[in-house]
Amino acid sequence: MRKSAADRFRHLFNRSLILLRHRHHHHPFPSSSSLSPFSRSRFFSSTPFSMASDSPFPVTAQNINPKVLKCEYAVRGEVVTLAQNLQKDLQANPGSHPFDEILYCNIGNPQSLGQQPITFFREVLALCDHPAILDKSETQGLFSTDAIQRAWQIVDQIPGRATGAYSHSQGVKGLRDTIAAGIEERDGFPANPDDIFMTDGASPAVHNMMQLLIRSENDGILCPIPQYPLYSASIDLHGGFLVPYYLDEATGWGLEIPELKKQLEAAKSKGINVRALVVINPGNPTGQVLGEENQRDIVEFCKQEGLVLLADEVYQENVYVPEKKFHSFKKVSRSMGYGENDITLVSFQSVSKGYHGECGKRGGYMEVTGFSAEVREQIYKVASVNLCSNISGQILASLVMSPPKVGDESYESFNAEKENILESLARRAKTLEDAFNKLEGVTCNKAEGAMYLFPQIRLSQKAIKAAGDANTAPDNFYCKRLLNATGVVVVPGSGFGQVPGTWHFRCTILPPEEKIPAIVTRLTEFHEKFMDEFRD
Amino acid sequence: MRKSAADRFRHLFNRSLILLRHRHHHHPFPSSSSLSPFSRSRFFSSTPFSMASDSPFPVTAQNINPKVLKCEYAVRGEVVTLAQNLQKDLQANPGSHPFDEILYCNIGNPQSLGQQPITFFREVLALCDHPAILDKSETQGLFSTDAIQRAWQIVDQIPGRATGAYSHSQGVKGLRDTIAAGIEERDGFPANPDDIFMTDGASPAVHNMMQLLIRSENDGILCPIPQYPLYSASIDLHGGFLVPYYLDEATGWGLEIPELKKQLEAAKSKGINVRALVVINPGNPTGQVLGEENQRDIVEFCKQEGLVLLADEVYQENVYVPEKKFHSFKKVSRSMGYGENDITLVSFQSVSKGYHGECGKRGGYMEVTGFSAEVREQIYKVASVNLCSNISGQILASLVMSPPKVGDESYESFNAEKENILESLARRAKTLEDAFNKLEGVTCNKAEGAMYLFPQIRLSQKAIKAAGDANTAPDNFYCKRLLNATGVVVVPGSGFGQVPGTWHFRCTILPPEEKIPAIVTRLTEFHEKFMDEFRD
């Protein structure tokens, strides 16, 4: 493994930044230079504009918002489209490929791969959807007593018991009270329900913040590289500037303050107003869990530099190693003595992750602290334009932050479901990590948390040339080959950003545990053949 | 009533447009000129920036995105905030005001005012939330047979029966099939499930389209005045230019083609690229239902001018007069012989309106036709960044487009619930319309559809002066007085736009029917006193 990727590529960053700016000012597409962290596959694929000039349609790719053209979201990009076509082909012609099913390891979507929902959560949601059955006798036989109690409590928290009404723009006040209490219990510091803005998953919350902060392409947002491409997409859509900071692969994707400072200064010297720092903890796609000391340094950095700390904490329940623990940035800040007026901090949370993985419910919230009343009014106003997030998602967010407790009727079964899932995820992460590390030319850091592994593949010159001949990026080339040979869908590293000249892919740890051995065998066989085929 | 407001104010439009452009280029706030359709109350209220210069926070109203500052959403604006404070005051000090409760007539939120959800829809939603009970015997006693059948069918349509998974970015394919079949049945013309993009309510769909079409402040969107302020807010947030066209109050809020042409030409002559026409049918806040002949002319206008037709059809079930019928713009276009390649049309639908009013579920879709494959790919990509809309909302959208049919076990009770609600809404609309028309200086067009009345109030010079002295717009002044006297919350017309120099407010028809007589009495008493107090 490389000693310090961040050091080694220090000299490249300035050029990289210049190239990024250049594309911002003149090109709808990112630079193809290998010095940019985003050597995106899109650049190599055939342009979609061939039919545009004589288009019968008033809207063409030439006259839509160039920010839309520019944004990219690789998690559902080209490889996934190929996979969907393969799946249709498999259904139409069974046996036509060397695998029976497509395994979608491209996206953190646990229930799509067979993970079962948490019973207590679903009981409460069903009862809140149809409160008319709450006092029927048959209901006692179908639902646990504490689920019925909780549903009553929630329905009573909704003004007029109107579960089908728009709520307050920030979400139902009673549910925000529950969430704030859950945050207090987690952190040991006060939380204010008026700081909670409930959203349809975490993605709209991230967009809200980017929309608030970005005024022009001269406004920069510090983002980790590799990053979850929601951030690059959202920055592109809002016309801002992504200021990359590199996580150090050699130290387990370490987030180093000198690297932050260097990139901040470099951006400033180019005239970029850096407004915020995005930290994803536990890391996506990188799986690291930050240490508390490191987090203190990050808070201090934001405080000193006047940056908003945008803390993506959606994987807070997903920690798999005993030596690491999740600490929210709010807790860390408050434990340093920094209060509401000292640090501007937004924490994103989602019901899609954790042990429950309720992606389809689109629940989430942001806890917004350290903003003036006048700015908070603006955040509220923008939330109001979309009226409110969905109530089922709001209810689920309150459940996630206030699950059954010791002594509750459902507690034991709830806890068993939860622990089974988390322990299985930990085993799957370890098995896949070990398997990747056994492959020739592959190194893979531990997934301490989150739902992903991000192995580095060292590709031969011959493979890189073959990718070039196929008009695609080397990591994309590898991932497409992998898909065609095994049915396993992973996302090329270029969709997340990577140190220029290195190649990775992101693979979720979510396939059902019983399928993991077969997947490892298939991956290994494919990789050996690939390496042999393209040996220099 | 004025003979033709559109004609009378023709000469004012050019100045109005210039003023609008001027504020776009230089001011975060709209012009205060009475010639602008948006004489927004905000302009008059005290600036929120007093504490900004010595702010301890890195984010201030001076350094956020000016597009955020500029946007306004009056439906949850100043009057509503006042109402929420009054409500708290009422709870703390019962009897402290001349009314017992706040009646929120500011927003089309039926269930918040006591409307009950449709049983069949809620049964299916509850069963899909907790499919584990689908085959339990107790379930038979609690749920109707066809709700159980429908839930099985829906769960089977979801890949892997994973009701908690992210779906396809456009929504679950099987649910889109159901919606497309519902559109076909409604229109008598084919609908393609691949044209359906499911969204969390209609609002995100509108944002998606504005984001796609608006490149700069020189891109214009033709919007009705008065309009639903989602449109002005979304255009502001995406940095575009609202090109107003006036609905003719004298002809029942008629949408006249010469007015469209005039405004389009005026905008073009100022260098605005007009990209789309927004039509809200049935109208919000105006309640008119367009005639089919009129719709044909609108389609022809868009076809000739190369405009995207953005058809807000969320009130398609809400038509209250026998002489009018809802026709979708898709049906009208197809019946004119215009196919997929002839007209670019987006239809917005929502589960929040209709007879069900399931606002809190945040379900909806847009049907996107007449876009090239390349542009559709871009729409898909942006949808992908947010992963998918919430599955409960998706399910509900499929139910709304495919409710129980004659012969189904639930049909009779379903239909009774539906007809009761629609008939009651029609009676409430008529009662309130009549009451408004009896008030001195007030005229009110019929609510043929949707959920609102938009009466015009002719205010005295003395009242207008009093408003100016109170630093607020005259309609805002009236609405605040009304709230303080009666507890009834309505939205000032300036939030929707109105012919300069005229004053209106929007009032929903949603208060419970048994409360309407008392509301009418309170409104009438207030109005008489107000007119007497400010008689010139």
Side-chain angles (χ1 to χ4, degrees), chain A residues 74-91:
Chain A
V75 172
R76 289 199 164 175
E78 186 195 357
V79 179
V80 181
T81 305
L82 284 177
Q84 287 166 341
N85 292 337
L86 275 179
Q87 187 163 27
K88 282 180 198 162
D89 200 30
L90 269 180
Q91 281 159 355

Side-chain angles (χ1 to χ4, degrees), chain A residues 48 63 129 275 361 374, chain B residues 48 63 76 129 275 361 374:
Chain A
N63 68 23
D129 261 343
R275 309 220 59 190
K361 294 296 173 192
E374 57 185 2
Chain B
N63 68 22
R76 289 199 164 175
D129 261 344
R275 310 220 57 191
K361 295 295 171 190
E374 58 187 2

Side-chain angles (χ1 to χ4, degrees), chain A residues 3 60 124 138 141 188 215 240 418 422 437:
Chain A
K3 192 65 185 18
T60 68
V124 177
E138 294 96 328
R215 295 160 297 185
K418 172 181 166 176
L422 288 173
N437 277 315

Side-chain angles (χ1 to χ4, degrees), chain B residues 116-121 123 143-147 355 403-421:
Chain B
Q116 292 305 299
I118 298 292
T119 306
F120 178 80
F121 292 172
E123 286 183 329
F143 296 86
S144 62
T145 312
D146 53 342
Y355 51 88
K405 297 194 173 32
V406 179
D408 293 348
E409 182 189 307
S410 290
Y411 178 74
E412 281 191 25
S413 61
F414 161 79
N415 203 50
E417 289 176 0
K418 172 181 165 176
E419 291 305 323
N420 278 344
I421 289 169

Side-chain angles (χ1 to χ4, degrees), chain A residues 212 215 275 372-376 378, chain B residues 28-29 47-53 55 57-66 68-69:
Chain A
L212 184 81
R215 295 160 297 185
R275 309 220 59 190
S372 65
E374 57 185 2
V375 174
R376 183 187 293 260
Q378 299 296 320
Chain B
F29 285 97
T47 165
F49 301 155
S50 48
M51 62 170 284
S53 55
S55 169
F57 304 108
V59 184
T60 68
Q62 282 74 22
N63 68 22
I64 64 169
N65 180 357
V68 167
L69 272 182

Side-chain angles (χ1 to χ4, degrees), chain B residues 6-16:
Chain B
D7 278 345
R8 184 164 165 191
F9 286 91
R10 186 188 317 181
H11 69 284
L12 295 179
F13 173 65
N14 283 341
R15 274 196 70 185
S16 166

Side-chain angles (χ1 to χ4, degrees), chain B residues 373-389:
Chain B
E374 58 187 2
V375 174
R376 184 187 291 260
E377 261 175 41
Q378 299 296 319
I379 300 170
Y380 175 81
K381 183 179 69 182
V382 173
S384 293
V385 174
N386 287 329
L387 301 163
C388 67
S389 64

Side-chain angles (χ1 to χ4, degrees), chain A residues 72-136:
Chain A
E72 177 147 313
Y73 186 68
V75 172
R76 289 199 164 175
E78 186 195 357
V79 179
V80 181
T81 305
L82 284 177
Q84 287 166 341
N85 292 337
L86 275 179
Q87 187 163 27
K88 282 180 198 162
D89 200 30
L90 269 180
Q91 281 159 355
N93 309 298
S96 57
H97 293 276
F99 43 84
D100 299 331
E101 61 173 342
I102 303 292
L103 276 168
Y104 288 96
C105 301
N106 58 300
I107 187 165
N109 194 8
Q111 295 191 30
S112 74
L113 292 171
Q115 183 176 307
Q116 291 305 300
I118 299 291
T119 305
F120 178 81
F121 292 172
R122 291 303 192 98
E123 287 183 329
V124 177
L125 287 179
L127 291 166
C128 291
D129 261 343
H130 192 36
I133 63 170
L134 269 171
D135 51 10
K136 297 275 173 68

